[in-house]
Amino acid sequence: MYAQDKVVNLALGCFLPLKSLGEEGLLEEERLDLLPSIREKAASLQHSAYERTVKKTWVKEERELPRAYGKGGPVRVLIHKPIGSTRSDLPMIVWGHGGGLNIGDHKDSNGAGLLQMVTKDDGPQFCWASVDYRLVPEVKLPEPSDDMVSAYLSLSNKDLAQEFGYSVQKMGFGGMSAGALLVGHAASVLGKMGRGPKFFAGLYPMVDPTMDTESHELYGDLDAMPGVWLRECWRWALEDEQEHEVSEQRLKEGSLLHADFRSLAGTRALILVGDYDPLHDEGVKLGEVLVKAGLKVEVMSVCGTHCIAHMCDAEGAKKMCQWLRETLSV
């Protein structure tokens, strides 16, 4: 693991005490009382960095898109268009932010930074729409993934696409961590509707609520993705509000390992995992599931931890960017 990765983990643990949300012995009311302050700290960390990153590459506009799938009101997105672009046929990435399903919003500096890497050195121009999906525990799965499906369908409107200069024939999904979980489920739903994405990129994906792999045992204490917090993330997302427990059926419904991807056969897919990420092993398993379903899958491993590795491993980041550039140029 790179020294820079260790420093970022240490800094994250000091600034964003995710482990406190999973602290043993806390009452549920105490956990819920902690959550707003941690969300506020995360927003203060993300938003300023997001603004600095985006203004160098894209013009952004916030829109409320009409509900096109599932229950609820409009879905808010930030649509990003390359500065100075006059094209009408750009690819569009519908993006899901990370944050364990309970932290973060569409002003996602991690996503903006990663996607900006793709544009460097004469990389392809593209639009991207960051989705402000609903968070748990205020809602339960599948409502956040329904928001991703709804946003994708609304963004498929040809008039909206013409306004921002992208092609509805070149739309795909990208997401990091919890966002990768949501776009995976959304892609499965859309595939069954005959509206599947052209491509799917799941980066450091949150995959399976059982958390029973070796990588969880080895790296579950890292500050970037502490296991005690991740268990609460899954519980909040899947727990029955009346029974206060997670059933076997809900565990299967939440897991991407049990999702049906067969309708996406032939679709290009990238799964990126960190060597020292607790989610490493389940990300590899997801790649195997996608291969079995007939997708054109590349599983890449980068040296480092959750959502940080690509910022430290230059060679790994180069391979990731190359896959995205090739996919966006098809």
Side-chain angles (χ1 to χ4, degrees):
M1 190 190 307
Y2 294 94
Q4 180 186 354
D5 197 311
K6 294 180 180 179
V7 170
V8 174
N9 260 281
L10 182 62
L12 274 174
C14 293
F15 184 79
L16 203 62
L18 297 177
K19 290 181 180 180
S20 66
L21 286 172
E23 187 176 329
E24 190 174 351
L26 276 186
L27 297 174
E28 182 68 358
E29 292 78 9
E30 293 174 309
R31 287 187 217 283
L32 295 175
D33 285 344
L34 286 171
L35 186 56
S37 64
I38 291 180
R39 284 176 173 173
E40 186 176 340
K41 287 181 179 180
S44 69
L45 187 68
Q46 288 271 340
H47 290 181
S48 57
Y50 163 82
E51 296 290 349
R52 288 194 303 271
T53 302
V54 165
K55 71 179 183 181
K56 301 174 184 177
T57 309
W58 295 284
V59 177
K60 70 179 190 302
E61 185 173 333
E62 187 171 276
R63 290 289 180 92
E64 282 200 345
L65 303 178
R67 171 66 56 176
Y69 182 83
K71 298 179 181 179
V75 180
R76 186 166 55 175
V77 301
L78 274 163
I79 303 177
H80 305 76
K81 177 181 178 179
I83 294 172
S85 174
T86 58
R87 289 176 55 184
S88 60
D89 62 343
L90 293 171
M92 161 62 84
I93 301 174
V94 183
W95 180 261
H97 67 82
L101 300 174
N102 55 75
I103 295 171
D105 60 26
H106 55 340
K107 294 182 180 179
D108 179 19
S109 64
N110 291 330
L114 185 146
L115 294 175
Q116 189 186 61
M117 292 171 66
V118 181
T119 69
K120 291 182 177 179
D121 302 321
D122 298 319
Q125 290 190 323
F126 56 90
C127 296
W128 63 289
S130 184
V131 181
D132 192 20
Y133 58 82
R134 289 169 290 176
L135 301 177
V136 307
E138 288 86 347
V139 300
K140 305 291 183 185
L141 285 173
E143 288 170 87
S145 56
D146 286 352
D147 290 349
M148 298 300 302
V149 174
S150 181
Y152 187 96
L153 291 172
S154 292
L155 287 162
S156 300
N157 180 281
K158 291 183 178 180
D159 291 335
L160 187 63
Q162 185 176 25
E163 179 182 351
F164 285 94
Y166 64 89
S167 168
V168 297
Q169 304 301 320
K170 298 180 180 179
M171 290 178 59
F173 273 127
M176 188 179 290
S177 190
L181 170 74
L182 297 182
V183 300
H185 280 300
S188 172
V189 170
L190 286 161
K192 294 171 189 175
M193 296 168 59
R195 304 284 297 275
K198 186 174 181 181
F199 57 87
F200 163 65
L203 313 173
Y204 312 99
M206 187 173 157
V207 174
D208 185 58
T210 61
M211 296 175 57
D212 61 357
T213 63
E214 184 179 12
S215 60
H216 275 291
E217 294 180 13
L218 292 174
Y219 311 119
D221 198 44
L222 291 171
D223 292 298
M225 176 57 90
V228 291
W229 170 63
L230 184 58
R231 288 195 183 278
E232 293 304 312
C233 297
W234 279 117
R235 181 178 67 81
W236 279 338
L238 299 172
E239 184 180 61
D240 183 281
E241 293 182 347
Q242 303 299 323
E243 300 294 331
H244 299 292
E245 62 181 27
V246 180
S247 67
E248 288 295 322
Q249 180 61 32
R250 289 291 283 155
L251 288 173
K252 287 184 177 181
E253 290 171 357
S255 175
L256 286 178
L257 301 182
H258 296 280
D260 185 357
F261 294 102
R262 289 173 295 177
S263 59
L264 299 175
T267 301
R268 287 175 62 90
L270 169 67
I271 302 298
L272 184 81
V273 296
D275 289 337
Y276 304 100
D277 186 348
L279 303 183
H280 174 278
D281 293 355
E282 59 192 64
V284 172
K285 287 183 179 181
L286 174 59
E288 294 169 355
V289 167
L290 297 178
V291 168
K292 188 174 181 180
L295 283 75
K296 299 176 181 177
V297 185
E298 184 153 359
V299 177
M300 290 185 190
S301 186
V302 283
C303 183
T305 61
H306 187 72
C307 295
I308 299 172
H310 67 281
M311 295 184 281
C312 306
D313 180 356
E315 187 60 32
K318 182 179 178 181
K319 291 179 181 177
M320 174 194 72
C321 288
Q322 184 61 32
W323 187 94
L324 288 165
R325 287 167 181 162
E326 290 176 358
T327 299
L328 293 168
S329 298
V330 172

